[in-house]
Amino acid sequence: MKKIISYILPILLLITVSSCDQGFDELNVNKVSPTAINPNFILNSAIINTSPPNGTLIYDIGIVQQIISPNSGVLTGANYNQDNRNASQELWQRYFRSVIRNTRDVIDQTQDDPSQSNLTNMARIWQAYAFMVLTDAYGDIPYSQGGKGYTDQINFPEYDTQQAIYTDIIKELQEATAALDAGKTIATADVMYNGNVAQWKKLGNSILVRAGMRLSKVDPTKAAQVVSAAFQSGVMENNSDNCVVRHDANYQNAQGATLNSTEANNFYLVESFVSYLKDNNDPRLAAIAVRYVGATSGPEQNAARASTDPSVQIGMPMGHDNNTIKAVATNLGLASFYDFSQVDRTRMTRNTAPMFLVTYAKPSFCLPKLPNADGLVVMPNNTSTMVSEHIWNS
């Protein structure tokens, strides 16, 4: 009897163990976790992440002398022409990690599927734009291999020269824009234009105008060819064609979030910017600027002191810190540096303000001066007039 029991117990144990293994693999598969993502949504992720990060407020907007801060520390940047790696790396990281990575993925998934050719070419246009922003900011960058760590496991991409980058960006924009076809499958999930092929074509050509103008001082002949061809193919025609990333309370504008929170009292409009708008009676000043007249501290920058009257706006000169700017403010008759004009954060840079990336205004500003190879400036009505300076940089 004891022998029988000694045989039965191991057999029962084996049966129990084997029964535990049945369905084990299926049990450990998450049935609600996606194994693939629709490439339409991946492109949407690339689009919304193209809205610039906070670092551009410290560098890019200061470099073009629009907004600066007199304070150092985390806000050090364009005002002092100093390196601030925490800010300067933000655009690089945001675009390579969340824009280029995604456009590469979309192209990789769809380029061999003729039914998704429109989506492929939309991603190519967006990728060209993102790379243009990156090379304009940093110069030589990983381009031909950039963003391929995810799709091709290239973890140490080679850097390309800016000349080579712009040559290929122009090629990509020309090819992708021409290949868009309203007769093929429309990517209606597109967050920018709902897959509207005509508007994507206008976007591609409008970016081409910008790319061509970038070459105007290094290769005016090439610039003239690119820009003229882009206009002939059709650029943005009105503000309904604008390329805009929209924000809301959950997905906030990065600059707006900064200017309406911890740094609300630390950024000011630059003197040269305000003076130019005032001297030219530019109506945009009334929409852009606000001055908290007589403010001596951040808390005194309140609605009771707010004035959007263009005549009272005073921009802050560059190159001063929060100590030296005090004497400047005194000499100008201001109560303190808090009395300088700011961008109106209740309108222009609110948390939910849209981010305009490419607009109808850009190609419109380029219309009066389209240099061609003969040194002529081609006017909107297709007439030509000779000018002394035919190389015009955007």
Side-chain angles (χ1 to χ4, degrees), residues 5-45:
I5 293 174
S6 65
Y7 284 120
I8 291 175
L9 287 175
I11 292 172
L12 290 173
L13 181 62
L14 287 172
I15 293 172
T16 302
V17 171
S18 63
S19 65
C20 288
D21 286 341
Q22 292 180 2
F24 183 79
D25 290 338
E26 183 180 355
L27 180 66
N28 284 276
V29 173
N30 187 342
K31 295 182 179 180
V32 297
S33 178
T35 57
I37 301 175
N38 187 319
N40 285 272
F41 302 144
I42 298 175
L43 179 58
N44 283 346
S45 180

Side-chain angles (χ1 to χ4, degrees), residues 3 8 12 16 31 33 65 79 122 127 178 204 229 232 259 261 276-277 284 286 301 303 311 317 329 345 351 375 380:
K3 288 185 177 181
I8 291 175
L12 290 173
T16 302
K31 295 182 179 180
S33 178
Q65 299 189 28
N79 189 36
M122 288 157 55
Q127 181 169 274
Q232 291 171 8
L259 293 174
S261 57
Y276 183 87
L277 294 176
R284 290 174 293 183
Q301 291 182 338
S311 67
R345 53 185 181 268
N351 289 359

